[in-house]
Short mmCIF file of all heavy atoms in Angstrom, two decimals:
data_model
loop_
_atom_site.label_atom_id
_atom_site.label_comp_id
_atom_site.label_asym_id
_atom_site.label_seq_id
_atom_site.Cartn_x
_atom_site.Cartn_y
_atom_site.Cartn_z
N MET A 743 0.82 -1.19 0.00
CA MET A 743 0.00 0.00 0.00
C MET A 743 0.87 1.26 0.00
O MET A 743 0.57 2.22 -0.70
CB MET A 743 -0.91 0.00 1.21
CG MET A 743 -1.83 1.18 1.27
SD MET A 743 -3.11 0.91 2.46
CE MET A 743 -3.13 2.46 3.27
N PHE A 744 1.94 1.23 0.80
CA PHE A 744 2.82 2.40 0.86
C PHE A 744 3.50 2.65 -0.47
O PHE A 744 3.70 3.79 -0.87
CB PHE A 744 3.87 2.23 1.96
CG PHE A 744 3.29 2.24 3.34
CD1 PHE A 744 3.34 1.12 4.13
CD2 PHE A 744 2.69 3.39 3.83
CE1 PHE A 744 2.80 1.14 5.40
CE2 PHE A 744 2.16 3.42 5.09
CZ PHE A 744 2.21 2.29 5.89
N ALA A 745 3.84 1.57 -1.17
CA ALA A 745 4.51 1.73 -2.46
C ALA A 745 3.58 2.40 -3.48
O ALA A 745 4.02 3.24 -4.27
CB ALA A 745 4.97 0.38 -2.98
N VAL A 746 2.31 2.06 -3.43
CA VAL A 746 1.34 2.65 -4.36
C VAL A 746 1.19 4.14 -4.07
O VAL A 746 1.18 4.98 -4.99
CB VAL A 746 -0.02 1.93 -4.26
CG1 VAL A 746 -1.07 2.65 -5.10
CG2 VAL A 746 0.11 0.49 -4.69
N VAL A 747 1.08 4.50 -2.80
CA VAL A 747 0.92 5.90 -2.43
C VAL A 747 2.17 6.69 -2.80
O VAL A 747 2.08 7.79 -3.35
CB VAL A 747 0.62 6.04 -0.92
CG1 VAL A 747 0.64 7.49 -0.48
CG2 VAL A 747 -0.72 5.40 -0.59
N ARG A 748 3.34 6.13 -2.54
CA ARG A 748 4.58 6.81 -2.91
C ARG A 748 4.66 7.01 -4.42
O ARG A 748 5.09 8.07 -4.90
CB ARG A 748 5.78 6.00 -2.45
CG ARG A 748 6.04 6.12 -0.99
CD ARG A 748 7.32 5.41 -0.62
NE ARG A 748 7.27 5.02 0.76
CZ ARG A 748 7.95 4.02 1.28
NH1 ARG A 748 8.73 3.29 0.52
NH2 ARG A 748 7.85 3.73 2.55
N LEU A 749 4.28 6.00 -5.17
CA LEU A 749 4.30 6.10 -6.64
C LEU A 749 3.34 7.18 -7.12
O LEU A 749 3.69 7.99 -7.99
CB LEU A 749 3.95 4.75 -7.27
CG LEU A 749 3.91 4.74 -8.80
CD1 LEU A 749 5.30 5.01 -9.37
CD2 LEU A 749 3.38 3.41 -9.29
N LEU A 750 2.13 7.22 -6.56
CA LEU A 750 1.17 8.24 -6.98
C LEU A 750 1.66 9.64 -6.64
O LEU A 750 1.53 10.57 -7.46
CB LEU A 750 -0.18 7.98 -6.30
CG LEU A 750 -0.98 6.80 -6.85
CD1 LEU A 750 -2.23 6.58 -6.01
CD2 LEU A 750 -1.35 7.03 -8.30
N ILE A 751 2.21 9.82 -5.45
CA ILE A 751 2.73 11.13 -5.06
C ILE A 751 3.88 11.53 -5.98
O ILE A 751 3.96 12.67 -6.44
CB ILE A 751 3.15 11.14 -3.58
CG1 ILE A 751 1.91 11.10 -2.70
CG2 ILE A 751 3.98 12.37 -3.25
CD1 ILE A 751 2.18 10.95 -1.23
N PHE A 752 4.77 10.59 -6.28
CA PHE A 752 5.88 10.86 -7.18
C PHE A 752 5.38 11.27 -8.57
O PHE A 752 5.86 12.24 -9.16
CB PHE A 752 6.80 9.64 -7.28
CG PHE A 752 7.90 9.80 -8.29
CD1 PHE A 752 8.99 10.62 -8.02
CD2 PHE A 752 7.85 9.14 -9.50
CE1 PHE A 752 10.00 10.78 -8.95
CE2 PHE A 752 8.85 9.29 -10.44
CZ PHE A 752 9.93 10.11 -10.16
N LEU A 753 4.39 10.54 -9.09
CA LEU A 753 3.87 10.86 -10.42
C LEU A 753 3.17 12.21 -10.44
O LEU A 753 3.29 12.97 -11.42
CB LEU A 753 2.93 9.75 -10.89
CG LEU A 753 3.59 8.43 -11.24
CD1 LEU A 753 2.53 7.37 -11.56
CD2 LEU A 753 4.55 8.58 -12.39
N LEU A 754 2.44 12.53 -9.38
CA LEU A 754 1.78 13.83 -9.32
C LEU A 754 2.80 14.96 -9.27
O LEU A 754 2.65 15.99 -9.95
CB LEU A 754 0.85 13.90 -8.12
CG LEU A 754 -0.46 13.13 -8.28
CD1 LEU A 754 -1.17 13.02 -6.93
CD2 LEU A 754 -1.35 13.81 -9.29
N LEU A 755 3.83 14.79 -8.46
CA LEU A 755 4.86 15.83 -8.39
C LEU A 755 5.63 15.94 -9.71
O LEU A 755 6.01 17.03 -10.12
CB LEU A 755 5.81 15.56 -7.22
CG LEU A 755 5.17 15.75 -5.84
CD1 LEU A 755 6.16 15.38 -4.75
CD2 LEU A 755 4.68 17.17 -5.65
N LEU A 756 5.83 14.83 -10.37
CA LEU A 756 6.47 14.85 -11.69
C LEU A 756 5.60 15.60 -12.70
O LEU A 756 6.10 16.39 -13.51
CB LEU A 756 6.73 13.42 -12.18
CG LEU A 756 7.62 13.24 -13.39
CD1 LEU A 756 9.02 13.74 -13.07
CD2 LEU A 756 7.67 11.78 -13.77
N GLY A 757 4.29 15.42 -12.62
CA GLY A 757 3.37 16.17 -13.48
C GLY A 757 3.42 17.66 -13.19
O GLY A 757 3.36 18.48 -14.10
N ALA A 758 3.52 18.00 -11.89
CA ALA A 758 3.62 19.42 -11.52
C ALA A 758 4.90 20.03 -12.06
O ALA A 758 4.90 21.16 -12.57
CB ALA A 758 3.55 19.57 -10.01
N ILE A 759 6.00 19.30 -11.97
CA ILE A 759 7.27 19.78 -12.51
C ILE A 759 7.15 19.98 -14.02
O ILE A 759 7.65 20.97 -14.57
CB ILE A 759 8.42 18.82 -12.15
CG1 ILE A 759 8.70 18.89 -10.65
CG2 ILE A 759 9.67 19.13 -12.96
CD1 ILE A 759 9.64 17.81 -10.16
N GLY A 760 6.47 19.07 -14.69
CA GLY A 760 6.25 19.22 -16.12
C GLY A 760 5.44 20.46 -16.45
O GLY A 760 5.73 21.17 -17.41
N CYS A 761 4.42 20.74 -15.64
CA CYS A 761 3.62 21.95 -15.84
C CYS A 761 4.46 23.20 -15.63
O CYS A 761 4.34 24.17 -16.39
CB CYS A 761 2.41 21.95 -14.91
SG CYS A 761 1.13 20.79 -15.39
N PHE A 762 5.29 23.21 -14.58
CA PHE A 762 6.13 24.37 -14.34
C PHE A 762 7.15 24.55 -15.47
O PHE A 762 7.46 25.68 -15.86
CB PHE A 762 6.84 24.26 -12.99
CG PHE A 762 5.90 24.39 -11.81
CD1 PHE A 762 5.99 23.53 -10.74
CD2 PHE A 762 4.93 25.37 -11.78
CE1 PHE A 762 5.14 23.64 -9.66
CE2 PHE A 762 4.05 25.50 -10.72
CZ PHE A 762 4.16 24.63 -9.64
N ALA A 763 7.66 23.45 -16.01
CA ALA A 763 8.58 23.54 -17.13
C ALA A 763 7.87 24.10 -18.37
O ALA A 763 8.43 24.93 -19.10
CB ALA A 763 9.18 22.17 -17.44
N ALA A 764 6.63 23.66 -18.59
CA ALA A 764 5.86 24.19 -19.72
C ALA A 764 5.60 25.68 -19.53
O ALA A 764 5.62 26.44 -20.49
CB ALA A 764 4.54 23.43 -19.85
N TYR A 765 5.38 26.10 -18.29
CA TYR A 765 5.19 27.53 -18.02
C TYR A 765 6.47 28.31 -18.35
O TYR A 765 6.40 29.38 -18.94
CB TYR A 765 4.80 27.74 -16.56
CG TYR A 765 4.88 29.19 -16.13
CD1 TYR A 765 3.96 30.12 -16.60
CD2 TYR A 765 5.88 29.63 -15.29
CE1 TYR A 765 4.03 31.45 -16.24
CE2 TYR A 765 5.96 30.96 -14.91
CZ TYR A 765 5.04 31.87 -15.38
OH TYR A 765 5.12 33.19 -15.02
N LEU A 766 7.61 27.77 -17.96
CA LEU A 766 8.87 28.46 -18.24
C LEU A 766 9.13 28.59 -19.74
O LEU A 766 9.70 29.59 -20.19
CB LEU A 766 10.04 27.75 -17.57
CG LEU A 766 10.10 27.85 -16.04
CD1 LEU A 766 11.22 26.98 -15.49
CD2 LEU A 766 10.28 29.29 -15.62
N VAL A 767 8.72 27.59 -20.50
CA VAL A 767 8.96 27.63 -21.94
C VAL A 767 7.96 28.52 -22.65
O VAL A 767 8.33 29.33 -23.50
CB VAL A 767 8.91 26.19 -22.52
CG1 VAL A 767 8.94 26.21 -24.03
CG2 VAL A 767 10.05 25.36 -21.96
N THR A 768 6.67 28.41 -22.31
CA THR A 768 5.64 29.11 -23.05
C THR A 768 5.18 30.41 -22.41
O THR A 768 4.55 31.24 -23.06
CB THR A 768 4.39 28.22 -23.22
OG1 THR A 768 3.83 27.96 -21.93
CG2 THR A 768 4.74 26.93 -23.93
N ARG A 769 5.42 30.58 -21.10
CA ARG A 769 4.97 31.75 -20.34
C ARG A 769 3.44 31.87 -20.29
O ARG A 769 2.91 32.96 -20.12
CB ARG A 769 5.57 33.05 -20.88
CG ARG A 769 7.05 33.15 -20.74
CD ARG A 769 7.41 33.27 -19.28
NE ARG A 769 8.87 33.40 -19.18
CZ ARG A 769 9.52 33.22 -18.07
NH1 ARG A 769 8.89 32.94 -16.98
NH2 ARG A 769 10.83 33.33 -18.04
N GLU A 770 2.75 30.75 -20.44
CA GLU A 770 1.29 30.76 -20.31
C GLU A 770 0.94 30.48 -18.85
O GLU A 770 1.35 29.47 -18.28
CB GLU A 770 0.66 29.71 -21.22
CG GLU A 770 0.75 30.04 -22.68
CD GLU A 770 -0.06 29.09 -23.53
OE1 GLU A 770 -1.17 28.71 -23.10
OE2 GLU A 770 0.44 28.71 -24.60
N ARG A 771 0.18 31.38 -18.25
CA ARG A 771 -0.14 31.29 -16.82
C ARG A 771 -0.93 30.03 -16.48
O ARG A 771 -0.89 29.58 -15.36
CB ARG A 771 -0.96 32.50 -16.36
CG ARG A 771 -0.20 33.78 -16.27
CD ARG A 771 0.72 33.86 -15.11
NE ARG A 771 0.00 33.93 -13.84
CZ ARG A 771 0.59 33.78 -12.68
NH1 ARG A 771 1.87 33.56 -12.61
NH2 ARG A 771 -0.10 33.84 -11.57
N ARG A 772 -1.67 29.46 -17.43
CA ARG A 772 -2.49 28.29 -17.10
C ARG A 772 -1.62 27.12 -16.67
O ARG A 772 -2.04 26.35 -15.81
CB ARG A 772 -3.39 27.92 -18.26
CG ARG A 772 -2.65 27.37 -19.46
CD ARG A 772 -3.60 26.99 -20.55
NE ARG A 772 -2.82 26.60 -21.70
CZ ARG A 772 -3.25 25.81 -22.63
NH1 ARG A 772 -4.47 25.33 -22.58
NH2 ARG A 772 -2.47 25.49 -23.64
N TYR A 773 -0.44 26.97 -17.24
CA TYR A 773 0.44 25.88 -16.84
C TYR A 773 0.92 26.07 -15.40
O TYR A 773 1.03 25.11 -14.64
CB TYR A 773 1.64 25.76 -17.78
CG TYR A 773 1.27 25.32 -19.17
CD1 TYR A 773 1.59 26.09 -20.27
CD2 TYR A 773 0.59 24.12 -19.38
CE1 TYR A 773 1.25 25.69 -21.55
CE2 TYR A 773 0.24 23.71 -20.65
CZ TYR A 773 0.57 24.50 -21.73
OH TYR A 773 0.22 24.08 -22.99
N PHE A 774 1.19 27.30 -15.03
CA PHE A 774 1.60 27.58 -13.66
C PHE A 774 0.46 27.28 -12.69
O PHE A 774 0.67 26.68 -11.64
CB PHE A 774 2.06 29.03 -13.51
CG PHE A 774 2.59 29.35 -12.15
CD1 PHE A 774 3.90 29.03 -11.82
CD2 PHE A 774 1.79 29.93 -11.19
CE1 PHE A 774 4.39 29.30 -10.56
CE2 PHE A 774 2.27 30.21 -9.94
CZ PHE A 774 3.58 29.90 -9.62
N ARG A 775 -0.75 27.70 -13.04
CA ARG A 775 -1.91 27.45 -12.17
C ARG A 775 -2.18 25.96 -12.02
O ARG A 775 -2.51 25.49 -10.93
CB ARG A 775 -3.15 28.17 -12.71
CG ARG A 775 -3.12 29.66 -12.48
CD ARG A 775 -4.49 30.29 -12.74
NE ARG A 775 -5.06 29.93 -14.04
CZ ARG A 775 -4.90 30.64 -15.15
NH1 ARG A 775 -4.18 31.75 -15.13
NH2 ARG A 775 -5.45 30.27 -16.27
N ILE A 776 -2.07 25.22 -13.11
CA ILE A 776 -2.30 23.77 -13.06
C ILE A 776 -1.23 23.12 -12.18
O ILE A 776 -1.53 22.27 -11.34
CB ILE A 776 -2.30 23.16 -14.47
CG1 ILE A 776 -3.53 23.64 -15.25
CG2 ILE A 776 -2.28 21.64 -14.40
CD1 ILE A 776 -3.49 23.31 -16.72
N GLY A 777 0.03 23.50 -12.36
CA GLY A 777 1.11 22.94 -11.54
C GLY A 777 0.93 23.26 -10.07
O GLY A 777 1.13 22.39 -9.21
N ALA A 778 0.53 24.48 -9.75
CA ALA A 778 0.31 24.86 -8.35
C ALA A 778 -0.86 24.08 -7.76
O ALA A 778 -0.81 23.65 -6.59
CB ALA A 778 0.06 26.36 -8.26
N ALA A 779 -1.90 23.87 -8.54
CA ALA A 779 -3.05 23.09 -8.05
C ALA A 779 -2.66 21.64 -7.80
O ALA A 779 -3.07 21.04 -6.80
CB ALA A 779 -4.20 23.17 -9.04
N ILE A 780 -1.85 21.07 -8.68
CA ILE A 780 -1.40 19.69 -8.50
C ILE A 780 -0.59 19.57 -7.21
O ILE A 780 -0.78 18.65 -6.42
CB ILE A 780 -0.59 19.20 -9.71
CG1 ILE A 780 -1.49 19.04 -10.93
CG2 ILE A 780 0.10 17.88 -9.41
CD1 ILE A 780 -0.74 18.75 -12.22
N VAL A 781 0.32 20.51 -6.99
CA VAL A 781 1.14 20.48 -5.77
C VAL A 781 0.27 20.64 -4.54
O VAL A 781 0.42 19.90 -3.55
CB VAL A 781 2.23 21.58 -5.81
CG1 VAL A 781 2.91 21.73 -4.47
CG2 VAL A 781 3.26 21.26 -6.88
N LYS A 782 -0.68 21.57 -4.58
CA LYS A 782 -1.55 21.81 -3.43
C LYS A 782 -2.34 20.56 -3.06
O LYS A 782 -2.36 20.13 -1.90
CB LYS A 782 -2.51 22.96 -3.73
CG LYS A 782 -3.49 23.25 -2.59
CD LYS A 782 -4.42 24.39 -2.92
CE LYS A 782 -5.48 23.93 -3.88
NZ LYS A 782 -6.55 24.91 -4.08
N TRP A 783 -2.98 19.94 -4.04
CA TRP A 783 -3.80 18.77 -3.76
C TRP A 783 -2.96 17.54 -3.42
O TRP A 783 -3.41 16.67 -2.67
CB TRP A 783 -4.76 18.50 -4.91
CG TRP A 783 -5.86 19.51 -4.93
CD1 TRP A 783 -6.01 20.53 -5.82
CD2 TRP A 783 -6.90 19.66 -3.97
NE1 TRP A 783 -7.10 21.28 -5.48
CE2 TRP A 783 -7.67 20.77 -4.34
CE3 TRP A 783 -7.26 18.95 -2.82
CZ2 TRP A 783 -8.79 21.19 -3.63
CZ3 TRP A 783 -8.37 19.38 -2.10
CH2 TRP A 783 -9.11 20.47 -2.50
N THR A 784 -1.75 17.46 -3.94
CA THR A 784 -0.86 16.36 -3.56
C THR A 784 -0.46 16.48 -2.10
O THR A 784 -0.47 15.48 -1.36
CB THR A 784 0.41 16.37 -4.45
OG1 THR A 784 0.01 16.24 -5.81
CG2 THR A 784 1.34 15.24 -4.09
N VAL A 785 -0.15 17.68 -1.66
CA VAL A 785 0.21 17.89 -0.25
C VAL A 785 -0.99 17.59 0.65
O VAL A 785 -0.85 16.93 1.68
CB VAL A 785 0.73 19.33 -0.03
CG1 VAL A 785 0.84 19.66 1.44
CG2 VAL A 785 2.07 19.50 -0.72
N ILE A 786 -2.17 18.06 0.27
CA ILE A 786 -3.36 17.80 1.08
C ILE A 786 -3.65 16.30 1.16
O ILE A 786 -3.93 15.77 2.24
CB ILE A 786 -4.57 18.58 0.50
CG1 ILE A 786 -4.39 20.07 0.74
CG2 ILE A 786 -5.88 18.09 1.11
CD1 ILE A 786 -5.40 20.93 0.02
N ALA A 787 -3.57 15.61 0.03
CA ALA A 787 -3.82 14.17 0.02
C ALA A 787 -2.78 13.42 0.86
O ALA A 787 -3.12 12.48 1.59
CB ALA A 787 -3.81 13.64 -1.41
N GLY A 788 -1.52 13.85 0.79
CA GLY A 788 -0.48 13.22 1.61
C GLY A 788 -0.71 13.44 3.09
O GLY A 788 -0.55 12.51 3.90
N LEU A 789 -1.12 14.64 3.48
CA LEU A 789 -1.41 14.91 4.89
C LEU A 789 -2.59 14.09 5.38
O LEU A 789 -2.57 13.56 6.50
CB LEU A 789 -1.67 16.40 5.10
CG LEU A 789 -0.45 17.31 4.97
CD1 LEU A 789 -0.89 18.77 5.04
CD2 LEU A 789 0.57 17.00 6.04
N VAL A 790 -3.62 13.97 4.56
CA VAL A 790 -4.78 13.15 4.95
C VAL A 790 -4.36 11.69 5.09
O VAL A 790 -4.73 11.01 6.06
CB VAL A 790 -5.92 13.31 3.93
CG1 VAL A 790 -7.00 12.27 4.14
CG2 VAL A 790 -6.50 14.71 4.00
N PHE A 791 -3.59 11.18 4.15
CA PHE A 791 -3.15 9.79 4.20
C PHE A 791 -2.35 9.51 5.47
O PHE A 791 -2.61 8.54 6.18
CB PHE A 791 -2.30 9.47 2.96
CG PHE A 791 -1.70 8.10 2.99
CD1 PHE A 791 -2.49 6.99 2.75
CD2 PHE A 791 -0.36 7.92 3.26
CE1 PHE A 791 -1.94 5.71 2.78
CE2 PHE A 791 0.20 6.66 3.29
CZ PHE A 791 -0.60 5.54 3.05
N PHE A 792 -1.38 10.37 5.76
CA PHE A 792 -0.57 10.13 6.94
C PHE A 792 -1.34 10.42 8.22
O PHE A 792 -1.06 9.82 9.26
CB PHE A 792 0.73 10.93 6.88
CG PHE A 792 1.68 10.36 5.86
CD1 PHE A 792 1.97 11.07 4.70
CD2 PHE A 792 2.24 9.12 6.03
CE1 PHE A 792 2.83 10.54 3.75
CE2 PHE A 792 3.09 8.58 5.08
CZ PHE A 792 3.38 9.29 3.93
N GLY A 793 -2.32 11.29 8.18
CA GLY A 793 -3.20 11.51 9.33
C GLY A 793 -4.01 10.26 9.64
O GLY A 793 -4.17 9.88 10.81
N VAL A 794 -4.53 9.62 8.60
CA VAL A 794 -5.28 8.37 8.79
C VAL A 794 -4.36 7.29 9.37
O VAL A 794 -4.76 6.56 10.29
CB VAL A 794 -5.91 7.90 7.46
CG1 VAL A 794 -6.45 6.49 7.57
CG2 VAL A 794 -7.01 8.86 7.05
N LEU A 795 -3.14 7.20 8.88
CA LEU A 795 -2.20 6.22 9.44
C LEU A 795 -1.91 6.51 10.91
O LEU A 795 -1.83 5.60 11.72
CB LEU A 795 -0.89 6.23 8.64
CG LEU A 795 -0.91 5.60 7.28
CD1 LEU A 795 0.46 5.70 6.63
CD2 LEU A 795 -1.32 4.14 7.36
N PHE A 796 -1.77 7.79 11.26
CA PHE A 796 -1.48 8.18 12.63
C PHE A 796 -2.64 7.80 13.55
O PHE A 796 -2.44 7.21 14.62
CB PHE A 796 -1.21 9.69 12.69
CG PHE A 796 -0.93 10.20 14.07
CD1 PHE A 796 0.27 9.91 14.69
CD2 PHE A 796 -1.89 10.96 14.74
CE1 PHE A 796 0.53 10.38 15.96
CE2 PHE A 796 -1.61 11.42 16.01
CZ PHE A 796 -0.41 11.13 16.63
N VAL A 797 -3.87 8.11 13.13
CA VAL A 797 -5.04 7.76 13.94
C VAL A 797 -5.18 6.25 14.06
O VAL A 797 -5.52 5.72 15.13
CB VAL A 797 -6.31 8.40 13.32
CG1 VAL A 797 -7.56 7.87 13.98
CG2 VAL A 797 -6.25 9.91 13.43
N GLU A 798 -4.90 5.54 12.99
CA GLU A 798 -4.97 4.07 13.02
C GLU A 798 -3.97 3.51 14.05
O GLU A 798 -4.30 2.60 14.80
CB GLU A 798 -4.65 3.53 11.63
CG GLU A 798 -4.80 2.04 11.49
CD GLU A 798 -4.52 1.58 10.07
OE1 GLU A 798 -5.40 1.79 9.23
OE2 GLU A 798 -3.42 1.06 9.84
N ARG A 799 -2.77 4.06 14.09
CA ARG A 799 -1.77 3.62 15.08
C ARG A 799 -2.23 3.93 16.50
O ARG A 799 -2.00 3.15 17.41
CB ARG A 799 -0.44 4.31 14.83
CG ARG A 799 0.24 3.87 13.60
CD ARG A 799 1.35 2.97 13.96
NE ARG A 799 1.95 2.49 12.73
CZ ARG A 799 3.11 1.93 12.67
NH1 ARG A 799 3.81 1.79 13.76
NH2 ARG A 799 3.57 1.51 11.53
N LEU A 800 -2.85 5.09 16.70
CA LEU A 800 -3.33 5.45 18.02
C LEU A 800 -4.43 4.50 18.50
O LEU A 800 -4.47 4.14 19.68
CB LEU A 800 -3.86 6.88 18.04
CG LEU A 800 -2.83 8.00 18.01
CD1 LEU A 800 -3.54 9.35 17.96
CD2 LEU A 800 -1.93 7.93 19.22
N LEU A 801 -5.29 4.09 17.58
CA LEU A 801 -6.38 3.19 17.94
C LEU A 801 -5.89 1.79 18.22
O LEU A 801 -6.52 1.05 18.98
CB LEU A 801 -7.46 3.21 16.86
CG LEU A 801 -8.20 4.52 16.67
CD1 LEU A 801 -9.17 4.43 15.52
CD2 LEU A 801 -8.93 4.91 17.95
N GLN A 802 -4.79 1.37 17.60
CA GLN A 802 -4.26 0.03 17.81
C GLN A 802 -3.50 -0.08 19.14
O GLN A 802 -3.40 -1.15 19.69
CB GLN A 802 -3.33 -0.38 16.67
CG GLN A 802 -4.07 -0.70 15.41
CD GLN A 802 -3.12 -1.10 14.29
OE1 GLN A 802 -1.89 -1.08 14.47
NE2 GLN A 802 -3.66 -1.43 13.15
N ALA A 803 -2.97 1.02 19.62
CA ALA A 803 -2.16 0.99 20.85
C ALA A 803 -3.00 0.87 22.09
O ALA A 803 -4.12 0.84 22.22
CB ALA A 803 -1.32 2.26 20.94
#
């Protein structure tokens, strides 16, 4: 399960880097906005995932 989550986070961040690179090349603001949104939602999803793991550990103890 951890490998799948790590892979998804890596792929999302790779997509964000691609969007930022497209912004640098074309100077179109939409690529920057898309990249920022991908980063924002990746961080939120990661925090939720690790929060669930933390609560699960607390309940098992």
Side-chain angles (χ1 to χ4, degrees):
M743 182 166 136
F744 292 114
V746 173
V747 172
R748 284 186 205 154
L749 178 65
L750 287 175
I751 289 174
F752 175 74
L753 289 174
L754 285 168
L755 291 176
L756 192 63
I759 290 170
C761 286
F762 291 136
Y765 168 71
L766 289 174
V767 171
T768 64
R769 295 292 182 196
E770 290 188 39
R771 288 286 292 168
R772 69 179 175 156
Y773 293 123
F774 184 82
R775 285 193 308 268
I776 292 169
I780 291 172
V781 169
K782 178 180 76 171
W783 287 108
T784 301
V785 168
I786 290 171
L789 289 173
V790 168
F791 175 75
F792 288 112
V794 168
L795 286 179
F796 179 72
V797 170
E798 185 178 284
R799 290 256 177 164
L800 285 177
L801 294 176
Q802 287 180 357

